[in-house]
mmCIF file of all heavy atoms in Angstrom:
data_model
loop_
_atom_site.group_PDB
_atom_site.id
_atom_site.type_symbol
_atom_site.label_atom_id
_atom_site.label_comp_id
_atom_site.label_asym_id
_atom_site.label_seq_id
_atom_site.Cartn_x
_atom_site.Cartn_y
_atom_site.Cartn_z
ATOM 1 N N ASP A 201 -16.812 -8.368 -15.348
ATOM 2 C CA ASP A 201 -16.336 -9.648 -14.825
ATOM 3 C C ASP A 201 -14.821 -9.600 -14.607
ATOM 4 O O ASP A 201 -14.318 -10.088 -13.593
ATOM 5 C CB ASP A 201 -16.693 -10.786 -15.782
ATOM 6 C CG ASP A 201 -16.387 -12.144 -15.181
ATOM 7 O OD1 ASP A 201 -17.081 -12.547 -14.231
ATOM 8 O OD2 ASP A 201 -15.435 -12.804 -15.657
ATOM 9 N N LEU A 202 -14.084 -9.018 -15.540
ATOM 10 C CA LEU A 202 -12.644 -8.867 -15.366
ATOM 11 C C LEU A 202 -12.329 -7.946 -14.200
ATOM 12 O O LEU A 202 -11.358 -8.165 -13.473
ATOM 13 C CB LEU A 202 -12.009 -8.309 -16.641
ATOM 14 C CG LEU A 202 -11.652 -9.296 -17.754
ATOM 15 C CD1 LEU A 202 -11.061 -8.544 -18.942
ATOM 16 C CD2 LEU A 202 -10.675 -10.345 -17.251
ATOM 17 N N TRP A 203 -13.116 -6.893 -14.014
ATOM 18 C CA TRP A 203 -12.890 -5.986 -12.893
ATOM 19 C C TRP A 203 -13.046 -6.728 -11.567
ATOM 20 O O TRP A 203 -12.226 -6.569 -10.661
ATOM 21 C CB TRP A 203 -13.870 -4.816 -12.951
ATOM 22 C CG TRP A 203 -13.546 -3.720 -11.969
ATOM 23 C CD1 TRP A 203 -12.848 -2.576 -12.215
ATOM 24 C CD2 TRP A 203 -13.925 -3.669 -10.584
ATOM 25 N NE1 TRP A 203 -12.748 -1.824 -11.067
ATOM 26 C CE2 TRP A 203 -13.399 -2.465 -10.051
ATOM 27 C CE3 TRP A 203 -14.640 -4.512 -9.730
ATOM 28 C CZ2 TRP A 203 -13.573 -2.097 -8.714
ATOM 29 C CZ3 TRP A 203 -14.806 -4.150 -8.391
ATOM 30 C CH2 TRP A 203 -14.278 -2.950 -7.905
ATOM 31 N N CYS A 204 -14.084 -7.560 -11.457
ATOM 32 C CA CYS A 204 -14.290 -8.323 -10.211
ATOM 33 C C CYS A 204 -13.148 -9.306 -9.973
ATOM 34 O O CYS A 204 -12.777 -9.569 -8.827
ATOM 35 C CB CYS A 204 -15.628 -9.060 -10.257
ATOM 36 S SG CYS A 204 -17.073 -7.975 -10.198
ATOM 37 N N GLY A 205 -12.607 -9.845 -11.037
ATOM 38 C CA GLY A 205 -11.405 -10.659 -10.934
ATOM 39 C C GLY A 205 -11.533 -11.831 -9.986
ATOM 40 O O GLY A 205 -12.423 -12.671 -10.126
ATOM 41 N N VAL A 206 -10.663 -11.877 -8.966
ATOM 42 C CA VAL A 206 -10.590 -13.031 -8.072
ATOM 43 C C VAL A 206 -11.757 -13.090 -7.092
ATOM 44 O O VAL A 206 -11.971 -14.111 -6.440
ATOM 45 C CB VAL A 206 -9.258 -13.036 -7.284
ATOM 46 C CG1 VAL A 206 -8.071 -13.091 -8.236
ATOM 47 C CG2 VAL A 206 -9.147 -11.826 -6.365
ATOM 48 N N ARG A 207 -12.505 -12.006 -6.956
ATOM 49 C CA ARG A 207 -13.637 -11.979 -6.032
ATOM 50 C C ARG A 207 -14.919 -12.440 -6.723
ATOM 51 O O ARG A 207 -15.064 -12.341 -7.939
ATOM 52 C CB ARG A 207 -13.833 -10.565 -5.488
ATOM 53 C CG ARG A 207 -12.663 -10.058 -4.676
ATOM 54 C CD ARG A 207 -12.580 -10.761 -3.322
ATOM 55 N NE ARG A 207 -11.519 -10.184 -2.518
ATOM 56 C CZ ARG A 207 -10.382 -10.807 -2.213
ATOM 57 N NH1 ARG A 207 -10.165 -12.024 -2.662
ATOM 58 N NH2 ARG A 207 -9.475 -10.221 -1.462
ATOM 59 N N GLU A 208 -15.859 -12.920 -5.932
ATOM 60 C CA GLU A 208 -17.144 -13.323 -6.481
ATOM 61 C C GLU A 208 -17.828 -12.107 -7.104
ATOM 62 O O GLU A 208 -17.855 -11.025 -6.501
ATOM 63 C CB GLU A 208 -18.030 -13.914 -5.387
ATOM 64 C CG GLU A 208 -17.535 -15.245 -4.846
ATOM 65 C CD GLU A 208 -17.513 -16.341 -5.896
ATOM 66 O OE1 GLU A 208 -18.356 -16.290 -6.827
ATOM 67 O OE2 GLU A 208 -16.657 -17.244 -5.796
ATOM 68 N N PRO A 209 -18.363 -12.247 -8.311
ATOM 69 C CA PRO A 209 -18.967 -11.093 -8.983
ATOM 70 C C PRO A 209 -20.138 -10.516 -8.187
ATOM 71 O O PRO A 209 -20.885 -11.236 -7.522
ATOM 72 C CB PRO A 209 -19.439 -11.675 -10.318
ATOM 73 C CG PRO A 209 -18.627 -12.910 -10.511
ATOM 74 C CD PRO A 209 -18.382 -13.456 -9.141
ATOM 75 N N VAL A 210 -20.269 -9.223 -8.249
ATOM 76 C CA VAL A 210 -21.412 -8.515 -7.668
ATOM 77 C C VAL A 210 -22.063 -7.704 -8.781
ATOM 78 O O VAL A 210 -21.424 -7.410 -9.796
ATOM 79 C CB VAL A 210 -20.968 -7.581 -6.519
ATOM 80 C CG1 VAL A 210 -20.403 -8.377 -5.362
ATOM 81 C CG2 VAL A 210 -19.950 -6.553 -7.012
ATOM 82 N N PRO A 211 -23.332 -7.342 -8.646
ATOM 83 C CA PRO A 211 -23.952 -6.516 -9.689
ATOM 84 C C PRO A 211 -23.247 -5.169 -9.800
ATOM 85 O O PRO A 211 -22.899 -4.557 -8.785
ATOM 86 C CB PRO A 211 -25.396 -6.347 -9.190
ATOM 87 C CG PRO A 211 -25.607 -7.478 -8.230
ATOM 88 C CD PRO A 211 -24.286 -7.725 -7.588
ATOM 89 N N TYR A 212 -23.054 -4.722 -11.024
ATOM 90 C CA TYR A 212 -22.489 -3.391 -11.213
ATOM 91 C C TYR A 212 -23.534 -2.350 -10.812
ATOM 92 O O TYR A 212 -24.675 -2.390 -11.261
ATOM 93 C CB TYR A 212 -22.080 -3.160 -12.671
ATOM 94 C CG TYR A 212 -21.694 -1.711 -12.914
ATOM 95 C CD1 TYR A 212 -20.426 -1.268 -12.583
ATOM 96 C CD2 TYR A 212 -22.627 -0.800 -13.407
ATOM 97 C CE1 TYR A 212 -20.084 0.069 -12.747
ATOM 98 C CE2 TYR A 212 -22.292 0.534 -13.586
ATOM 99 C CZ TYR A 212 -21.021 0.967 -13.248
ATOM 100 O OH TYR A 212 -20.689 2.283 -13.399
#
Side-chain angles (χ1 to χ4, degrees):
D201 188 69
L202 276 179
W203 190 97
C204 291
V206 300
R207 297 288 185 250
E208 292 297 330
V210 295
Y212 171 82

